[in-house]
Amino acid sequence: MIFLKQARRHAVKLIGERSSSLDLARGRLLLLGAVFVFAYMFLAARAVDLMIIQAKPVSLTDNGQVLEESPASSGVMRADITDRNGELLATTIKTASLYADPHLISDQQQAAENLARIFPDFEYGETLRRFQKGGRFVHLKYNLTPQEQHEVLKLGEPGLAFKHENRRVYPQGPLTSHFVGYAGMENQGLAGIEKSFDAMLAQGKLVALTLDVRLQHALRREMEKAVDDFHAKGGAGVIMDVNTGEVLAGVSLPDFDPNNVVDENRKEMFNRVSLGTYELGSVFKIFSTAAFLETHDVPMSASFDASEPIKRGKFTINDYHAEDRVLTIPEVFMYSSNIGAAMMGEAVGTDRLKSFYDDIGLTGRMNLEISEVGKPLVPQPWREINTLTASYGHGVATTPLQMTAAVASIVNGGYLVAPHLVMNKKAEENARDESLRVVSAQTVHRMRQLLRLVVTEGTGGQADVPGYRVGGKTGTAEQQSGRGYDQSKLLSSFIGVFPVEEPKYAVFIVIDGPKPTKKSFGFATGGWVGAPAVARVIASMAAILGIKPESAEQTADLSASLKQFVTVKGHD
Amino acid sequence: MKKIRLRTIFVYMLAVLAGALLLHTSQNVQKEEEKLAVITAEANREKDSIQVLRTEWAYLNNPGRLETLARKYLKLSPPDPARVAAEGDEIPAKISPPAETPLSAQPVSYTPVPSSKPSPPIFKNTFENPTIKDSPKEKSLDDLLNQITQEGAE
């Protein structure tokens, strides 16, 4: 203001006189002075602005030591993987890692003492030694819990700081380990969905699976029980929606905790459901019988002479549950006669049986959303004898998952389903497309009857769950060991479908290496190992999914009309 | 000439005023930006902790743990299919009390029968002794929570 007054005074003075060169010079000087004064005023204002108005407390950022605030994590967080109901299977949380800058610690002994109090696994001496060793960065602990972090903050020690890291966690533990997979230290997917959907997850896009953790748990619990009861090595199990091919549960035992992957090559990392291929044995009679019924228009009373073993060169085909007589189709199926099945396969013929197995998806590598998919093994070359053995599931090794999908394709009305793990609306729309038909409606009906008969009269009696009308097929295969088959190394399985009139769900359990026990009267076959486990799973599923039971009086048993072709002899 | 001088002064003052206004506005913006940064940081922290809590929720609700806890603390078990009624009308009807004797059938003269014992209470109190021994309800809520957390962590 003073400046302005002065300026005015000078101006007034100047007005009265004629301009001279001196005045002109003075005027210019004045203008110049004004410019400088304004410039200094601006600078002063800016200085006040920076030093007082925008003043910030002295920050520790220069040392990279931000105690609480940390710059937002670079990019997006890796997205969640959920089950079909939105339960978290894999997620990312920000965890803090603790480190120290010994130069900034005021009292190293005190700090070491405090840390030893907060973390029981810290030793006072060791921590102090690391502080005193020098260097400006001492890493102390990865992944603190929020509570531990709070305790450390409460110490108020400027030399202790946190580094925030994104960490992948799997709240369900080992429950879905083989399908969800796991991610490595840099959050890169290393197995399962984590690997195959790595790019999508890294972009922050959520992946919803078709699995249901409740069913997954029920299946795992019952399989664990079966493995324990029969001192088995492991097992594989699948629950599938037969109409859509959605995998509702998939369990491979033994399994692992994806939160703590020790070694990628351990045997529990192996996915037996989709990567392991097995000769599954008699459950394959479902396919050979379906192929026979599809290619031969014969009544169910058609019979096969199973009184003598079949001899072809050096091969001899025997029956496990030997009846030594002429068997009708229902009898072959319910007593699981290898001889009868081999005769059916022979009647179908090598080419037709092979192409049927191909069509129903048993022999090719299946398309699944994970990379852990095994390639089925078929005899090369496929000789006549292979047709006979393949009819009862020997010589053809396939994965439990595609076996289940193949059974689903028959019982759901004859429409081929592709097993899948990721929720997909399209799959539902595409179901029941006539172009996907693999067997006729009549064969479907007969197969449902036969499957029910196995449970009401045959080898799968223990799979029955009152009110839910389970149909199924047992399978007991000897595992190859060296060049031959070892009778003491079994693969005992059961495939169950329910409700059998119009199946909605298929449950398959195969147990690897069950040993006979006293409780099972010395048996370790599919009927004793797999069937009761499947029955328990189905009973749990009914409660979980709220499926209404129907009393026996309400519905006529599907297999009733087949009983006229069955002679029960010496069976309880 | 004088006119021009006045106008110049006016322009100077206007410039100073504009400068002051600009400074004021920029100060305001900076203050608001600071506030925003604080709020954003807080929101991010909240988001992170929500994520941690969601994870913990999923972990604490994993079916295996729930089953163990239910078995331990609830006297409930999955229903046997045979005990599930598919339709509502399968439930047997409530047994109705015996019909009252119609008035016409009652004796004309009424002599009350002397009762030897007091009439039974209409509602039998089945919850006379609600505290069962060794029931977890007896413990304080904190103890129970601690116990559950410990077991879940096992």
Side-chain angles (χ1 to χ4, degrees), chain B residues 72-73 75 130-139 144 147:
Chain B
K72 192 154 187 185
Y73 294 105
K75 290 188 173 115
T131 48
I132 306 158
K133 265 206 168 171
D134 292 325
S135 152
K137 277 174 195 160
E138 273 184 314
K139 297 171 189 164
L144 189 63
Q147 194 181 344

Side-chain angles (χ1 to χ4, degrees), chain A residues 49 53-54 80 91 221, chain B residues 27 30 48 51 54 62 67:
Chain A
D49 173 32
I53 304 171
Q54 280 193 43
D80 297 344
T91 187
R221 180 188 63 209
Chain B
Q27 289 312 322
Q30 271 161 13
D48 288 346
Q51 189 59 20
R54 238 160 59 89
N62 74 66
E67 192 176 79

Side-chain angles (χ1 to χ4, degrees), chain A residues 38, chain B residues 4-18:
Chain A
F38 271 115
Chain B
I4 300 165
R5 296 285 146 82
L6 264 176
R7 197 192 289 166
T8 314
I9 289 161
F10 180 69
V11 167
Y12 279 162
M13 284 174 72
L14 215 66
V16 170
L17 195 72

